[in-house]
Amino acid sequence: LQLYNKNTTDFSGIGIVLEKASNVKIKEVINGEYLLSFSFPTTDEKMQYIVPHAIVKAENQLFKIESIDEPGNIATINCTHISFNLAYCRFIPLFQHYGVSPSTVLNAVLTDTPFSVWTVEIDTLTDIVLSKTNPMEVISKLIENVGGELVRDNFTINLVKK
């Protein structure tokens, strides 16, 4: 595992290596959760850098630290995939598109975010109307409408056939 400051934008370099991390688990549910958890000794000098919103790279994917539970000498760190930033990176007062492709929806909803579309294998036309929403809710509604599986690769979003 590698640790980066929450303000880091270039993850190509090596972060702080957390060699004493243990019990590392990644859980990914199709179109749902994408979580990382691990244990780390609270006495290790690197513990001072493990703070909420810092970024952890595991298996070449980025996860944001959400919570740190320190009941004793071993802390449990829980993280969500960086794609979950889509839930609050942009407020959308009204999102309405009629008779458009999933690619059109994804490109529109990811405008003004650090995320981009890579592959869209579904071309079924759909209508989406949501108010007081965010990109994550729009993407969830899109999948509900047209099916498919969301594949998250850091800041790249893919919608593929099942």
Side-chain angles (χ1 to χ4, degrees), residues 3 50-54 56 63-68 77-79:
L3 182 69
I50 298 175
V51 296
H53 307 293
V56 178
F63 296 85
K64 184 176 72 170
I65 295 175
E66 297 291 344
S67 68
I68 303 162
I77 294 87
N78 296 297
C79 313

Side-chain angles (χ1 to χ4, degrees), residues 24-29 32-38 58 63-64 66 77-81 84 152:
V24 178
K25 296 177 184 172
I26 293 178
K27 177 183 178 184
E28 183 176 12
V29 175
E33 298 174 315
Y34 197 174
L35 309 172
L36 164 71
S37 65
F38 63 96
F63 296 85
K64 184 176 72 170
E66 297 291 344
I77 294 87
N78 296 297
C79 313
T80 56
H81 191 266
F84 284 87
R152 299 157 283 203

Side-chain angles (χ1 to χ4, degrees), residues 63-91:
F63 296 85
K64 184 176 72 170
I65 295 175
E66 297 291 344
S67 68
I68 303 162
D69 185 20
E70 298 181 47
N73 292 334
I74 302 292
T76 301
I77 294 87
N78 296 297
C79 313
T80 56
H81 191 266
I82 198 74
S83 63
F84 284 87
N85 283 357
L86 284 166
Y88 56 86
C89 70
R90 178 178 167 220
F91 174 73

Side-chain angles (χ1 to χ4, degrees), residues 106-107 110 116-120 153 155-159:
L106 289 171
N107 282 302
L110 297 178
S116 61
V117 180
W118 185 255
T119 301
V120 180
D153 186 7
F155 291 96
T156 304
I157 303 298
N158 304 280
L159 183 61

